[in-house]
Amino acid sequence: MNFGEDMNRNPDSTLRALRPTALDDLPAESYARRREQDIARALAATSEETMPGTVRRRMPRVLIAGLAAGAVAAAAAGVIVATDDSGGTRTPAPAASQQLDARTVLLASAEGAAKAPLTTGAYWYTRERETRLAGPLKNRSPRGEGGAKKRVSKSPPVTAYVSTTQETWSGRDRRDRTITGIDRKITFPNAAEEARWKALGSPELESWSAKRHVNDYDFSDIKLTKPQQNMTVSALTTLPSDPKALEKALRGWYKDENQVSVEHDGVPMSGDFAQYVFGTAQDLLAGPITPATKSALFRLLAKQPGITYLGTGTDRLGRKGAVIAQKGEAEIRLIIDPKTGRLLEQDSGDRKSPSLVMTYQTMGWVNRLSDRP
């Protein structure tokens, strides 16, 4: 067999060939250094003709001072192809590429992240494209103060997807700006759903994103909780660059958030520390951590149980990466470029019917509001 020709024809078999039989006997650092270029070549050789597609969705988390946008990535059962903003999906083929494991990908990503130049600025900028399942919502009656039932507006009985872009500037001085409702687009999984929506008079599906808004916030005088203090821009830029020290810091975060959960809800957070690390990594990888901290984070992730490699994927901008996932209350999937350690997309929940996806278009430091990298 001509290995070069097989690489171009079948990326999954190429990735399988890259995994050595004695992986667990090799030191992590030296193994990652040797494998990074191999993985990058395999990803570059992936062709869309060989990859069944799926859609993507996002699971948001509160980041800096409770304001920064959450993160997302896309994923498939095996490999992924970019789609448009609709919720259309095709059943993916079984993933033959899973013999290349998550640990391999994460250690290669650690090496790639460490090579990025160290930059800084006054504001951390992100531009993200979100596609959200807009309905229908289940009937529910949340209770307000005193246990009284709150009135909830019913969503239209149709299934649709609302896509919108948001820009965020998160300041070291705890002054932030967001621009929401950019390039809004509504799509439907099929013609019948669109016809049903039009028959109802084309009702608004998600009012908060219907118009473009510029929002300026000043959190400089607001007293933050301990978990919020951990996630300010200044705190994130000073996180440890050693995996053991970073693990100690994140275990402290885990304890702090559990305490807040018990005080607020009467119960601790769901999920163990490994799930917390994976969930927090979504925010950190899209945030202003240093290249050394990002590298340490990937090494910490490589030690966690329950993270799996699902194959190679292509995000909605056409960028190729490796798909890793973890199951908790819902399956969370990330597309990462191992060559740079960059988070490309994030997705969560059911693979065939995702409800939220975030594509990270641009991120980086700037020195003034409205500047872009």
Side-chain angles (χ1 to χ4, degrees), residues 2 24 61 75 181 268 275 326 369:
N2 185 309
D24 293 335
R61 278 175 50 95
Q275 292 173 327
Q326 185 187 68
L369 287 173

Side-chain angles (χ1 to χ4, degrees), residues 176-180 213-217:
D176 300 348
R177 171 175 293 175
T178 63
I179 302 178
T180 59
H213 291 283
V214 179
N215 313 286
D216 288 321
Y217 303 92

Side-chain angles (χ1 to χ4, degrees), residues 120-142:
T120 189
Y123 297 91
W124 180 254
Y125 170 87
T126 58
R127 182 180 174 94
E128 308 150 346
R129 180 70 173 174
E130 175 186 292
T131 297
R132 178 189 294 269
L133 179 63
L137 297 177
K138 296 180 180 179
N139 292 330
R140 51 196 173 98
S141 299

Side-chain angles (χ1 to χ4, degrees), residues 8 19 31 59 64 83-85 88 91 104 114 118 142 145 172 179 215 233 285 293 303 306 315 341 350:
N8 290 328
R19 177 181 169 85
Y31 174 74
M59 174 175 285
I64 301 165
T83 64
D84 60 18
D85 285 331
T91 302
T104 305
L118 177 63
E145 296 182 3
R172 290 179 181 272
I179 302 178
N215 313 286
V233 173
L285 292 174
T293 298
K303 294 171 52 181
D315 74 3
D350 185 82

Side-chain angles (χ1 to χ4, degrees), residues 262-283:
V262 170
E263 292 173 353
H264 186 268
D265 300 324
V267 294
M269 296 187 303
S270 61
D272 57 17
F273 178 69
Q275 292 173 327
Y276 176 79
V277 171
F278 194 83
T280 302
Q282 304 161 44
D283 292 336

Side-chain angles (χ1 to χ4, degrees), residues 310-333:
L310 301 183
T312 56
T314 304
D315 74 3
R316 295 192 177 199
L317 297 180
R319 301 170 299 185
K320 294 181 176 65
V323 184
I324 59 172
Q326 185 187 68
K327 288 186 178 179
E329 291 184 348
E331 184 178 71
I332 300 172
R333 298 172 292 273

